[in-house]
């Protein structure tokens, strides 16, 4: 091993050992300590040091010998379960998910976006220092060959890394993929350790608030298309928040910690947030009370104009810049026709460190919130957001060797929460969810017709018609018709010896029970006519209507 590599490893081992000791002194979570110990052992193994766990204090060789060897106690019962914070999805659930994804992607494409993909894990240093207090939720991986890696926490930081690495300065992209958080999961509230994010971002130097407003328009389009009830998109500005903090007397180095505390107001009472500010983050109580006077306000253009006349606030340059941006944003929202969905809310903070400008969050407010609230076992204030995002002009520069910045703004759809709500709606409606898109089912009218069924299936598949048949040689027609009804298959094609001799097939429309003869040569054309909108039931996988 080269001396330089050995020295680096020794330094890493020393630093990791300090981390382990500190966690033990602080009596940290046992799972966290175990993770850090494993990292230490992994580093030691690279250096060729003994990585066997130390013998417990007071343990004698004799007691060690008396311990049961592996297998002595017999086979252990294996518990079949998914890891904590994850779950499987049944065909009915996947049918709902697929339709939601299709609507979201259609909206992204309608606005001119292209898609990219990035690795599910990144170098640990790529993610470190980008998420503020939430950095503790990053999943770290064991060293597997000299690189310290972590599972991606979101899709925004990998996107910024992608832009810097590939020298991309202008792009409108969407990305739908899984992310991972070592969070306390609340499964029935749509909060998991493994979940999908649906992101839309615009990168590039453009005139103020034009890309930002389009992101809000996209959120409104998507949530309206999913028919999940009334909602509001809250907007605020990080510069305005910083100006408020400065005007209230918050020290500069406490801006981000106090911002993180304010971010909890959507689900935590002010009394608890104030206690965190004062007791945990050392803020002066009077300063905290001044902040409360501002952050409890919400409204529209009238609130912007009122704040621009506030002499204390307008002494802060960042506050004025933030208010001017919000005024322009609201005027563009009016042009887009979404003003009725937008609320300027000073309590909105977004806890992540990388936001630099406009921030927004979509909240359900209508009758559908009852579905989410019913699953809200923790009894928190509100039911949580279903979309959020904002401007992050400095993130790409953190990865560029020369610090070159690429202005960016984007939104992320809280897809798991939407799924939870829509699954609950589907369950409540008791309407059957189609899990396949089969359009035609081929049935034999008598025994010994397997080859003829196969020929029909081939012809239909070649014509790009979604087709199924039984995998049994001989079947009962009644059983086959029942299968069609149970699975929502709109058409059945029936073949028998008499049909073969006459050069026809029988086509049965399952919804109306109508049955008619069709010439074999015209079969494809007649099937497509029957499947055309208005002539048959929609064959796409559908979810329950509201």
């Amino acid at each position: 091993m080269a001396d330089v590599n050995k020295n680096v490893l020794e330094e890493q081992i020393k630093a990791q050992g300090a981390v382990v000791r500190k966690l033990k002194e602080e009596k940290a979570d046992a799972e966290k300590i175990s993770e850090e110990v494993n990292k230490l052992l992994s580093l030691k193994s690279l250096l060729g040091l003994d990585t066997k766990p130390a013998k417990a204090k007071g343990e004698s060789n004799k007691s060690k010998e008396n311990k049961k060897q592996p297998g002595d106690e017999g086979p252990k019962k294996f518990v079949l379960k998914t890891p904590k914070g994850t779950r499987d999805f049944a065909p009915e659930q996947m049918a709902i998910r697929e339709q939601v994804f299709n609507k979201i992607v259609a909206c992204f494409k309608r606005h001119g976006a292209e898609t990219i993909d990035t690795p599910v894990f990144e170098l640990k240093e790529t993610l470190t220092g980008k998420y503020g207090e939430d950095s503790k939720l990053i999943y770290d991986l064991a060293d597997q060959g000299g690189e310290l890696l972590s599972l991606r926490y979101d899709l925004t930081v990998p996107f910024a890394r992608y832009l810097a690495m590939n020298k991309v300065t202008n792009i409108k992209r969407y990305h739908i993929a899984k992310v991972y958080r070592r969070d306390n999961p609340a499964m029935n509230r749509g909060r998991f350790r493994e979940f999908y994010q649906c992101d839309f971002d615009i990168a590039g130097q453009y005139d103020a608030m034009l890309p930002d407003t389009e992101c809000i328009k996209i959120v409104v389009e998507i949530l309206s298309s999913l028919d999940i009830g009334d909602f509001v998109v809250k907007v605020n500005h990080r510069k305005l928040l910083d100006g408020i903090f400065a005007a209230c007397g918050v020290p500069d180095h406490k801006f981000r910690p106090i911002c993180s505390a304010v971010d909890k107001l959507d689900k935590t009472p002010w009394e608890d947030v104030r206690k965190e500010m004062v007791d945990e983050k050392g803020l002066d109580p009077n300063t905290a009370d001044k902040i409360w006077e501002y952050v409890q306000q919400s409204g529209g253009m009238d609130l912007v104009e009122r704040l621009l006349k506030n002499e204390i606030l307008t002494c802060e340059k960042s506050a004025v810049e933030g208010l001017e941006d919000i005024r322009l944003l609201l005027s563009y929202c009016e042009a887009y026709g979404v003003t009725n969905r937008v609320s300027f809310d000073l309590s909105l903070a977004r806890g992540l460190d990388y936001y630099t400008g406009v921030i927004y969050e979509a909240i359900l407010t209508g009758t559908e919130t009852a579905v989410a609230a019913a699953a809200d076992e923790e009894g928190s204030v509100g039911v949580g957001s279903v979309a959020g995002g904002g401007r992050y002009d400095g993130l790409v520069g953190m990865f560029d060797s020369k610090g070159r910045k690429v202005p960016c703004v984007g939104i992320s759809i809280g897809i798991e929460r939407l799924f939870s709500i829509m699954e609950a709606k589907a369950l409540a409606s008791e309407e059957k969810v189609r899990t396949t898109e089969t359009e035609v089912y081929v049935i034999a009218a008598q025994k010994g017709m397997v080859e003829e069924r196969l020929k029909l299936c081939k012809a239909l598949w070649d014509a790009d018609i979604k087709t199924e048949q039984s995998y049994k040689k001989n079947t009962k027609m009644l059983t086959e018709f029942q299968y069609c009804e149970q699975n929502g298959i709109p058409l059945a094609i029936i073949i028998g010896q008499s049909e073969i001799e006459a050069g026809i097939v029988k086509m049965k429309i399952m919804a109306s029970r109508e049955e008619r003869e069709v010439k074999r040569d015209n079969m494809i054309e007649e099937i497509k006519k029957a499947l055309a909108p208005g002539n048959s039931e929609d064959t796409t996988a559908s979810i329950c209507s509201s």
Side-chain angles (χ1 to χ4, degrees), residues 228 364 368 371-372 386 417-426:
I228 55 173
L364 295 181
E368 298 305 329
V371 177
V386 291
R417 187 162 196 82
L418 293 177
F419 286 152
S420 294
I421 294 169
M422 297 187 76
E423 285 170 13
K425 281 183 64 181

Side-chain angles (χ1 to χ4, degrees), residues 441 444 450 453 469-476 479-480:
Y441 197 86
V450 175
R453 280 166 37 201
Q469 64 156 334
S470 172
Y471 294 125
K472 292 184 177 181
K473 285 186 177 181
N474 299 315
T475 60
K476 295 180 179 180
T479 303
E480 303 291 67

Side-chain angles (χ1 to χ4, degrees), residues 9 12 35 38-46 140-150:
L9 273 173
Q12 290 178 343
E35 284 183 10
N38 286 336
K39 292 178 193 175
L40 178 60
L41 296 178
S42 180
L43 290 170
K44 285 185 175 182
S45 67
L46 290 176
D140 292 331
L141 303 177
D143 190 308
Q144 293 292 333
E147 289 185 331
L148 295 177
L149 307 172
S150 299

Side-chain angles (χ1 to χ4, degrees), residues 243-292:
I244 289 173
F245 295 155
C248 292
V250 178
D252 290 354
H253 68 281
K254 290 188 178 181
F255 275 16
R256 292 287 75 84
I258 296 304
C259 186
S260 178
V262 171
D263 184 52
K264 298 174 183 176
L265 280 172
D266 65 327
K267 51 186 176 294
T268 305
W270 164 247
E271 292 74 17
D272 294 341
V273 172
R274 183 182 186 277
K275 185 176 180 181
E276 178 182 333
M277 288 180 175
V278 175
D279 296 348
E280 297 179 25
K281 298 182 176 177
L283 191 66
D284 180 85
N286 292 329
T287 301
D289 292 336
K290 289 178 183 178
I291 292 173
W292 174 238

Side-chain angles (χ1 to χ4, degrees), residues 343-359:
S343 171
F344 174 32
D345 193 318
L346 294 180
S347 69
L348 180 63
R350 303 289 295 167
L352 301 179
D353 278 2
Y354 52 63
Y355 288 120
T356 58
V358 167
I359 50 178

Side-chain angles (χ1 to χ4, degrees), residues 275-512:
K275 185 176 180 181
E276 178 182 333
M277 288 180 175
V278 175
D279 296 348
E280 297 179 25
K281 298 182 176 177
L283 191 66
D284 180 85
N286 292 329
T287 301
D289 292 336
K290 289 178 183 178
I291 292 173
W292 174 238
E293 292 177 9
Y294 285 103
V295 298
Q296 61 181 305
Q297 298 183 62
S298 63
M301 195 69 81
D302 57 333
L303 177 58
V304 175
E305 301 300 340
R306 190 163 70 248
L307 292 174
L308 281 170
K309 295 176 183 177
N310 185 311
E311 295 182 359
I312 297 175
L313 200 57
T314 50
C315 289
E316 300 295 333
K317 181 182 177 182
S318 63
V320 175
E321 290 176 352
L323 285 168
E324 292 293 349
D325 277 351
I326 291 292
R327 178 157 61 181
L328 187 58
L329 178 86
L330 293 177
S331 69
Y332 289 162
C333 283
E334 185 173 358
Y336 272 138
V338 296
T339 306
N340 62 320
R341 294 291 191 183
V342 177
S343 171
F344 174 32
D345 193 318
L346 294 180
S347 69
L348 180 63
R350 303 289 295 167
L352 301 179
D353 278 2
Y354 52 63
Y355 288 120
T356 58
V358 167
I359 50 178
Y360 27 72
E361 198 160 85
I363 309 291
L364 295 181
T365 60
T367 55
E368 298 305 329
T369 41
V371 177
D376 192 354
E377 62 180 8
E378 295 180 14
S380 59
V381 177
V383 298
S385 67
V386 291
R391 176 160 289 279
Y392 52 102
D393 289 344
L395 190 55
V396 178
M398 296 175 71
F399 297 110
D400 190 277
S401 58
K402 296 183 180 179
R404 288 170 293 203
K405 294 183 178 181
V406 177
C408 296
V409 64
I411 54 103
S412 181
I413 307 298
I415 198 71
E416 299 295 345
R417 187 162 196 82
L418 293 177
F419 286 152
S420 294
I421 294 169
M422 297 187 76
E423 285 170 13
K425 281 183 64 181
L427 187 63
S429 72
E430 297 183 354
E431 190 172 326
K432 184 172 176 58
V433 177
R434 283 205 68 188
T435 58
T436 73
E437 296 185 13
T438 304
E439 297 167 314
V440 176
Y441 197 86
V442 176
I443 301 173
Q446 57 203 70
K447 295 181 180 180
M449 305 292 294
V450 175
E451 287 79 3
E452 293 300 328
R453 280 166 37 201
L454 297 181
K455 290 176 185 177
L456 282 175
C457 286
K458 178 187 181 302
L460 294 170
W461 287 329
D462 289 347
D464 199 28
I465 295 172
K466 302 178 180 76
T467 306
E468 276 191 86
Q469 64 156 334
S470 172
Y471 294 125
K472 292 184 177 181
K473 285 186 177 181
N474 299 315
T475 60
K476 295 180 179 180
M477 290 184 65
L478 179 60
T479 303
E480 303 291 67
F481 289 145
Q482 287 176 342
Y483 181 87
C484 291
E485 291 177 352
Q486 290 168 0
N487 291 277
I489 301 173
L491 297 180
I493 292 296
I494 305 159
I495 186 77
Q497 190 59 43
S498 60
E499 284 78 19
I500 294 173
E501 293 172 356
I504 62 170
V505 296
K506 287 183 179 178
M507 182 172 71
K508 183 171 183 176
I509 300 174
M510 298 305 301
S512 64

